[in-house]
Every structure is written in structure tokens, then in C-alpha cells.
Amino acid sequence: MNTSALIVMLTTIILVTGLTLYFFYLVLNTPSKPEPDSYPDNDHLNQSVRTNTRS
Amino acid sequence: MSEKTESWGSRVGLILAMAGNAVGLGNFLRFPVQAVQNGGGAFIIPYLVCFLLMGIPLLWIEWSMGRFGGKYGHHSTPFILNSMHRFPLWKYIGVFGIWTNIAVASYYCYLESWTLSYVFHSLTGSFSGLSQEAVSDFFNDYVSLGTSTFGIPYEPIVFFVICLLLNTWILSQGLAEGVERVAKIGMPLLIIFGIFLAYKGFTITAGENGAINSSSVGLNFLWTPNFDKLWSPSVWLAAAGQIFFTLSVGMGTVQCYASYVRPKDDIALNAMSAGWMNEFVEVVLGGAILIPISIGYLGIDRVTELVQTGGLGLGFRTLPYLFYQWGDVLGAISGMMWFGLLFFAGITSSLAMGTPWIGFLQDEFNWERKPAAWSFGLIVLLLGMPTVLYFHYGVFDEYDYWAGTVSLVVFALFESILFAWIFGMTKGWQEINSGADIKVPGIYKYIIKFITPLLLLWVFIGSLVTPKNGDWGAALSGNWELDNGSIVKKLTNASLKEQIAAATDAAQLDKLNDTLLFVNGARILLLAVFLTLGLLVYIAYKKKLREGKI
């Protein structure tokens, strides 16, 4: 590949992939909000957090 | 309003569904062609600038509008817009957010059914041993409703109906059990298939398996920047247009999905995550498959010629043949993966198109989800059949132009003005930041208020009165001759009329006259659907007044 094409391609791929992974990482690692939130799937998790906090 | 309130099962499920809504066939078929036609690697600069100045702001606007409307029990744009400002016209402008989805789904599901059919044809070896011309003819026969390898009469119609039944059944299962579950399976599979094909695209070696060029030739062709093109308004217009289509903004689907998020939950990070995921699929995966593989086996001149007809031709007429250069087994697997990823890209988008109509019927007419979903399937079947039966008469393209192109820009322009100037940026900024899990840069307050609406206005005007051959220099110096692709010329069927005037062959003249008839018929049909939806909004409004809900 020629140098300019390689620079543009690698910069773009690294930037876009990096930001995609970064934001998805944030989503996965941000604690969920107190109940009631929008997502029923995490209800049992929040329930156990509340139970642990009380005990 | 419906008594039952639906919800997303999980945050990751919502983001995958939202990313699936944005990721469509255009990510793999439209983006690389646009990049090649608009300066190669230099296209990425206006493209990313437009993503930052128009794409991200519109995502935040639409997520905020949706969550705001959801607070008042609205899950479709007519009454989401009405909840933001009481001026009566807004709810009718909101009709775009249902109409666009129904009209786009009508031809998009047909396109999606091609990918489903091609998955089966790839797996059963229909393309094995065929010449490039024969693979191309296979596609021509298919869309002409000819008999294909399976021997099923009217096979495209059968696959269209199967595809619609599948969409409708999934929609009838609900958000969490239907749409979200498909996104959780479809998106990871799409990315895995995409990574496999991108790897193949990156590792072609000249002289092996009939390849005439190594991958580097195709990648050079796609990524070598032509910085002179950066000064061309047409390139910027193309980049802005691509951002529009790829993010599925201006459709009403983002608002609908976001309306099921509670007021205290984040939307700012969710929007960024879904938006960048779409960019990853488009730029990283989409840029590594179509063009490098095509150039590897066909050469630059042939591909330059083929991209003039758009990405569909390359995707359906050429790639199935090229995959078989890797041998029968890998050819079948690659074909299955290519059309499989296109199918997942398609179905996650078409499911999103069904939700505004279902939400509207549930909210305003107390319909249960299942009948609402089946009514969507029926409407799409009726409205979609002309695109199947009269594909060669331009009906498909007509739907795509008015519903899938023009209407997105018009609706996004209206909603950006409503959000930033009428609802007000102070309240709007609070909405974006409420419950946010990231700090939204303050500069976006000004970008959303000034730059995004101006960019949208520019995109709209640029499309309305596009100068001939995109020559803005000549236009601005006083010689503003309209291009046949401009909205004004399209409206008057200028291109078709020129072809009719120039036609000498009687059969060709008959075909062109029929095309003109079907094109006008398609427009009347789309207009009738819009007016009917407007009437339903009016009836719903009167019902709300009677019930004291307004």
C-alpha cells in the first residue's frame, strides 16, 4: 500500500475501533441506576445490592 | 394509551437493538461506493466531520425526544412532537416518523428477502461453476420473477412473504422477547461474519485462486486520499448524506426505541455507544470487504465501471461469483456469511421500522401488540407488492428516493429546529444530560443549536437544487442549471421525459411510458398513505380531547 493510504486507513481504523470499544466498555462497567430503572433483566442484581446494603 | 407498558430487557440489548437499527445494507453496499466516488481516503475526513457535527447531535436529539415523549406515554413521533410543543402542526409533521418507516419497510423487506434467498442459494451451491455473467443473469432473472435454481414459482414473492412473516412474528413477540433477542443474536453474528470476510479482503494475493491483484491494490484504491476533492461541496454533501442514511436518523425509529427508557436513565452514553458501533461496522468492516475483494479479482477499471451502478450490483451480481474463486466449500461458506450478515443488518433495521406504527396503535387506539404487529405486516405486504411486481419500472427506486432519502432530511431538519429553537436549548440540554453516564462536551450545546440545523438546511437545499453534474463553481458563478438528480427535477420526471423524447425504438418507448405511469402511481400511493396516517393522527387527537387526555 502507498504511505498516504496506509496512514489514512490505519488512523481511521484505530480511531473508530478504539472509540467503539471505549464507549461499549463504559456501558458495561457503569453501575446500574437504583430501581425502578428501564431494564427488568437487572432487577435481581439491584435487589441483591439493596439486600446486602441493608444487612 | 395502552395499559401495558413495554420495556427493554437490558441496557446492552437496547444498545445492540439501536445499533442494529442503524446498521443496514448501506453499511456494506453504499459506504464503500460513496467513498470511492468521492475522493477515496479523503472522503473519510468530511464523513467523520459530518458524524461529529450532524450525526452525534441528531442521535442525542432523537434519543432525548424519545425519552421525553415516553414520559407522557407516547411511543411514536406524532405525539412525541406534540408533547414538546402544542402548535397543532407538529403532530402532523410527526407523521413522517411513521410514514417513512412503513414506506421504507415496503421495499427494504423485499431487499432483505433477496439476502435470505441468496443465503440458501449460496448454501445449496446455486452459484457453483457459474460464470460471472451467469451469476449476474441469475440476479436479473430473480428480480424479473423468473424461475431460479430452486424451481419455486415466483420465488422472490415467496421469500418476500417469508421475510415479512418472520419480521411480523418477531415484532409480535414484543420489544424484549422479540426485537432485543434478535439484536443480541444478529449483531454479534454480523460482526463475526464481517471480521471473517474482512480478513479475506485483507489477505488476497495476486496470482492465487485467480486473483489479478493483491489486497493492497483495492485498499489503495479505497483509501488513497485525493485532497483536492475536499474543496468540492458535492463531496461534503455526499458525506453528510451517507451519515444520514447510515445512522437511521430522521426516521422516527430512534425516538420510538428511546421512548421506552425511563427519565432518570442514561441516553447520552447509550447514543454514543450505538452510534460508534455503527461506524465500526461501516468504516472498518464495510470498507474491507466489497471493494478490496472486487478489485482483487476484477481489477480497478472493471470495478470503477461497476460502482457507477451502485453497491447492489457488486454485492449481488459479482461477489457470489468471486467467492467461488476460493473453492466450492469456502465459496459457499463465504456466500452464506456475506448474505447472512446483510440479512442480519437488514432484519435488525426492518424490525425497528415496525415499532413506531405498533407503538402508535397501542398508545392511541388501545391495540394489543400482536394485532398491531400483524397489521404492520399486512400494510407492508400490500404496499411492498408493487415494488416486487414492478421492480423494473422504477417503483422500488421511487419508494427509496422519496421515503428513504428526501423524507429523512426533511424530518430531521424539522426535529432539529423543534428541539433547539422551539422546545429550547436550555430544556433540551437538560434532557440530554439527565441521567447521563458521560459528560457531554459543552460545545455541543452550540453545535446542536446552530451548526446541526444549518448543516441540515444545506443538505436539503443542496439536494433540492443540485447543480448539473454537482458543479457548484459554475452554479455559484451564475450558471445554475439543475441536475436531473435534484429534487426539483425528480419531481418533474425530467430525466424520464428526456429519455422518452430521445427514444426511437417503439418497444423502448412503451417501456419508458409505462415507467412514467408506474413512477407517478407510486408517488400517488405514497402520498395516499401519508394522508391516511395524517387522518389517523387527527382522529387520535380528537379522541384524546374527548377523553380529557389533552
Side-chain angles (χ1 to χ4, degrees):
Chain A
M1 281 183 78
N2 66 55
T3 313
S4 59
L6 195 63
I7 291 171
V8 173
M9 185 183 79
L10 289 179
T11 309
T12 307
I13 289 177
I14 291 168
L15 180 80
V16 172
T17 309
L19 285 167
T20 305
L21 293 174
Y22 171 69
F23 286 118
F24 201 62
Y25 170 84
L26 283 184
V27 168
L28 294 176
N29 287 283
T30 304
S32 51
K33 300 271 190 330
E35 290 297 322
D37 72 353
S38 308
Y39 316 109
D41 282 6
N42 63 12
D43 285 0
H44 64 288
L45 298 173
N46 282 307
Q47 192 63 44
S48 62
V49 168
R50 279 203 297 273
T51 311
N52 290 339
T53 310
R54 274 203 297 274
S55 62
Chain B
M1 188 174 54
S2 170
E3 292 302 317
K4 288 179 192 167
T5 306
E6 289 200 79
S7 65
W8 295 102
S10 66
R11 186 174 185 184
V12 170
L14 164 63
I15 289 168
L16 289 177
M18 202 63 103
N21 166 36
V23 172
L25 279 77
N27 290 53
F28 296 95
L29 300 176
R30 195 176 190 275
F31 168 77
V33 171
Q34 286 289 315
V36 167
Q37 289 175 340
N38 292 287
F43 178 73
I44 206 72
I45 297 169
Y47 175 84
L48 288 178
V49 169
C50 288
F51 180 60
L52 294 175
L53 298 181
M54 197 174 74
I56 290 174
L58 275 172
L59 284 175
W60 277 330
I61 288 173
E62 295 198 349
W63 275 79
S64 304
M65 288 171 73
R67 189 183 56 175
F68 180 82
K71 261 195 300 203
Y72 301 98
H74 304 307
H75 303 97
S76 61
T77 49
F79 288 97
I80 289 177
L81 265 61
N82 189 63
S83 66
M84 295 176 73
H85 194 265
R86 294 297 175 192
F87 180 58
L89 202 60
W90 285 116
K91 58 181 168 290
Y92 298 108
I93 290 171
V95 169
F96 275 108
I98 301 177
W99 175 78
T100 302
N101 291 292
I102 289 175
V104 172
S106 300
Y107 71 86
Y108 199 82
C109 283
Y110 182 43
L111 189 52
E112 196 180 305
S113 74
W114 299 352
T115 66
L116 187 63
S117 160
Y118 268 56
V119 166
F120 288 106
H121 281 294
S122 298
L123 286 175
T124 53
S126 296
F127 308 118
S128 176
L130 294 187
S131 67
Q132 195 190 334
E133 287 71 29
V135 172
S136 182
D137 289 344
F138 183 97
F139 179 76
N140 289 340
D141 285 347
Y142 188 83
V143 293
S144 306
L145 308 182
T147 308
S148 74
T149 323
F150 291 163
I152 305 169
Y154 300 109
E155 188 186 310
I157 298 177
V158 173
F159 272 96
F160 178 52
V161 173
I162 291 172
C163 200
L164 260 183
L165 286 172
L166 190 63
N167 271 280
T168 310
W169 179 77
I170 294 167
L171 282 169
S172 72
Q173 300 304 301
L175 274 185
E177 294 300 312
V179 177
E180 184 176 340
R181 192 169 282 182
V182 170
K184 279 177 168 173
I185 298 167
M187 285 303 288
L189 275 177
L190 180 152
I191 290 171
I192 290 168
F193 290 174
I195 288 172
F196 172 81
L197 291 168
Y199 169 76
K200 294 295 292 180
F202 269 108
T203 54
I204 295 169
T205 307
E208 284 183 13
N209 300 320
I212 55 174
N213 291 309
S214 295
S215 300
S216 56
V217 177
L219 293 169
N220 273 336
F221 183 66
L222 183 62
W223 290 102
T224 300
N226 176 0
F227 289 110
D228 292 343
K229 288 260 191 180
L230 279 180
W231 304 108
S232 161
S234 300
V235 171
W236 284 83
L237 209 58
Q242 181 59 26
I243 283 298
F244 234 94
F245 306 126
T246 188
L247 292 173
S248 295
V249 286
M251 285 189 77
T253 47
V254 174
Q255 290 95 328
C256 179
Y257 275 8
S259 67
Y260 296 95
V261 176
R262 284 178 184 265
K264 69 179 174 61
D265 283 326
D266 165 86
I267 52 163
L269 175 58
N270 286 355
M272 288 298 274
S273 184
W276 281 102
M277 202 178 286
N278 174 70
E279 292 311 297
F280 170 77
V281 172
E282 175 151 299
V283 177
V284 179
L285 300 182
I289 302 173
L290 193 70
I291 299 296
I293 294 177
S294 302
I295 287 183
Y297 291 91
L298 300 175
I300 291 177
D301 290 344
R302 180 82 180 113
V303 172
T304 310
E305 189 186 314
L306 287 170
V307 294
Q308 303 309 320
T309 58
L312 270 185
L314 273 178
F316 285 87
R317 293 174 200 268
T318 311
L319 279 195
Y321 164 76
L322 300 184
F323 291 147
Y324 273 94
Q325 308 310 303
W326 301 335
D328 275 1
V329 175
L330 202 54
I333 292 171
S334 302
M336 182 276 288
M337 286 190 171
W338 169 244
F339 293 110
L341 80 82
L342 290 183
F343 175 71
F344 286 127
I347 196 165
T348 46
S349 301
S350 60
L351 288 173
M353 292 171 205
T355 46
W357 169 250
I358 294 171
F360 177 69
L361 289 183
Q362 285 181 300
D363 293 343
E364 314 307 335
F365 297 102
N366 300 316
W367 281 43
E368 292 294 327
R369 183 161 189 108
K370 279 190 170 53
W374 288 103
S375 73
F376 173 75
L378 185 66
I379 293 169
V380 170
L381 177 68
L382 295 175
L383 204 58
M385 280 312 286
T387 68
V388 180
L389 298 173
Y390 310 115
F391 179 80
H392 286 304
Y393 292 96
V395 176
F396 185 102
D397 292 338
E398 207 58 23
Y399 278 38
D400 182 39
Y401 184 74
W402 294 109
T405 311
V406 176
S407 128
L408 307 189
V409 183
V410 172
F411 187 48
L413 178 61
F414 276 124
E415 68 184 10
S416 70
I417 292 169
L418 170 66
F419 186 85
W421 289 91
I422 296 170
F423 184 65
M425 210 46 231
T426 308
K427 276 199 283 180
W429 192 244
Q430 279 170 2
E431 276 299 316
I432 292 171
N433 283 285
S434 169
D437 286 333
I438 51 169
K439 181 167 169 43
V440 180
I443 184 100
Y444 269 100
K445 195 172 181 176
Y446 303 98
I447 291 175
I448 290 172
K449 184 159 185 174
F450 298 106
I451 296 177
T452 307
L454 279 174
L455 265 175
L456 288 165
L457 191 65
W458 174 65
V459 171
F460 178 66
I461 292 172
S463 312
L464 189 72
V465 288
T466 316
K468 199 169 182 66
N469 301 322
D471 188 352
W472 288 86
L476 293 172
S477 62
N479 181 24
W480 201 311
E481 195 182 342
L482 290 179
D483 192 84
N484 278 345
S486 64
I487 296 175
V488 172
K489 285 281 189 179
K490 271 278 202 185
L491 206 59
T492 57
N493 289 314
S495 174
L496 255 178
K497 284 177 181 167
E498 279 174 17
Q499 289 176 55
I500 289 171
T504 47
D505 179 56
Q508 191 196 6
L509 192 62
D510 282 349
K511 168 99 190 286
L512 286 168
N513 278 320
D514 287 345
T515 303
L516 188 62
L517 183 75
F518 282 113
V519 160
N520 287 330
R523 289 178 188 174
I524 292 168
L525 192 58
L526 291 175
L527 184 65
V529 174
F530 190 96
L531 293 175
T532 307
L533 290 170
L535 182 67
L536 286 176
V537 169
Y538 174 76
I539 293 168
Y541 174 69
K542 286 288 177 192
K543 183 169 168 280
K544 277 177 186 290
L545 277 180
R546 277 198 311 276
E547 293 169 356
K549 289 180 178 171
I550 290 184

